[in-house]
Amino acid sequence: MISAEVVGFIAGGLGMFVGLPQALRVRRLGHGRGVSLISWLLLFGTSTCWGAYGFDISSPSVLLTNIGAALVNASVIMAIMKNNLKSIALLSVYASALSALILNLPSAVVSTILILVVFAQTPQIVRSYKNLHAGADTAVSISGLSVSSISIALWFVYALLADVSLILLSASIAVSLNISVIVLELIGKRRRALKTT
């Protein structure tokens, strides 16, 4: 039988690269229009919190893949913010503060924080909804979101195998939010294509 940690490394490995298509798309287009910087800052925070949680529960897959995801999320933030030293310093302080909180707060509070950070995609849902109604073209990477959905589904499997209800609940919420963004972006893309024909 496949171990939970192997599934976790596969899920996390995919998850680490979710931000890569988005960072490349922003750099290629030369703008981050339609991409929520707040969501990416929250996603960076989410990866940081889950990485600290992985350290706390001695799960190498949760720890290492979330550190990798945080670094990739930081690359998206840097692409949107146009790379500067101040941003790196702020992200470092942000990651250190969040890690300290996760490692030092009581377990019930940590669980609550870990569920709340899963809602990091909410600002992107709002932004995608506004873009849809405005008919605005966006730099949102649907391929990145698709990879994210697969990664989250694998974290769901990890949670079942490892019997970690916190990850099971957070994966359920995350996949719902992620699919919402994909649907909004696809509808917007379709509407824009119909207008141009």
Side-chain angles (χ1 to χ4, degrees):
M1 182 164 158
I2 192 165
S3 79
E5 286 301 311
V6 170
V7 173
F9 273 113
I10 295 168
L14 281 173
M16 282 189 334
F17 296 103
V18 166
L20 194 56
Q22 185 62 71
L24 293 173
R25 183 164 168 81
V26 169
R27 290 188 190 282
R28 184 174 45 85
L29 294 174
H31 66 80
R33 239 184 344 266
V35 179
S36 172
L37 177 60
I38 293 170
S39 275
W40 282 100
L41 287 166
L42 291 171
L43 287 169
F44 174 79
T46 298
S47 298
T48 300
C49 288
W50 280 99
Y53 177 74
F55 177 80
D56 196 39
I57 65 168
S58 301
S59 171
S61 62
V62 176
L63 169 65
L64 296 174
T65 60
N66 276 290
I67 288 172
L71 293 172
V72 173
N73 292 340
S75 74
V76 175
I77 294 164
M78 298 304 293
I80 294 169
M81 295 178 73
K82 308 293 185 207
N83 293 339
N84 62 48
L85 202 51
K86 183 179 177 184
S87 298
I88 294 171
L90 289 172
L91 288 174
S92 298
V93 169
Y94 180 37
S96 299
L98 288 174
S99 296
L101 286 173
I102 296 301
L103 294 173
N104 292 301
L105 288 173
S107 180
V109 176
V110 168
S111 294
T112 303
I113 290 170
L114 291 173
I115 293 301
L116 290 175
V117 297
V118 173
F119 289 93
Q121 281 285 65
T122 305
Q124 184 60 58
I125 291 172
V126 172
R127 184 96 185 238
S128 292
Y129 180 78
K130 287 179 180 177
N131 289 333
L132 172 68
H133 286 287
D137 194 21
T138 72
V140 175
S141 172
I142 293 173
S143 61
L145 289 167
S146 300
V147 172
S148 175
S149 295
I150 294 167
S151 172
I152 294 167
L154 288 170
W155 278 118
F156 190 86
V157 172
Y158 169 90
L160 290 172
L161 291 172
D163 194 29
V164 182
S165 56
L166 181 62
I167 294 176
L168 190 64
L169 176 60
S170 67
S172 300
I173 295 167
V175 79
S176 300
L177 297 171
N178 207 35
I179 289 172
S180 298
V181 175
I182 292 171
V183 167
L184 289 168
E185 290 295 326
L186 287 174
I187 292 170
K189 193 175 196 177
R190 173 92 171 132
R191 283 186 183 174
R192 289 188 301 274
L194 290 173
K195 281 184 180 178
T196 59
T197 57

